[in-house]
Amino acid sequence: MSDKPDDTRHEAPGDEAPPGTPGTGQDLCRHCNGSGEVNGGKCPECEGTGYVIEGIGGG
Ligand SMILES: [Zn+2]
């Protein structure tokens, strides 16, 4: 497993921007706490990846 963001995965519903977008980074999915699963099924927010893309920096 790599600890680098997987910029090749397609956009998940919980993403603020498509993976690989400049100025964004991956963050732990709060919906599943990074497990990628909710109630025994794939997390709908991160689509089972355990993380979502969020904007970083700003301000
Ligand atoms: Zn999730």
Side-chain angles (χ1 to χ4, degrees):
M1 285 289 285
S2 170
D3 58 3
K4 291 272 290 181
D6 181 6
D7 288 344
T8 62
R9 80 155 165 73
H10 68 100
E11 189 171 2
D15 290 346
E16 289 186 355
T21 301
T24 66
Q26 74 176 52
D27 196 8
L28 203 68
C29 178
R30 294 185 192 85
H31 193 69
C32 63
N33 275 326
S35 70
E37 293 184 358
V38 176
N39 297 326
K42 189 168 71 175
C43 175
E45 290 296 310
C46 61
E47 297 197 327
T49 60
Y51 65 88
V52 294
I53 308 300
E54 292 191 336
I56 55 178

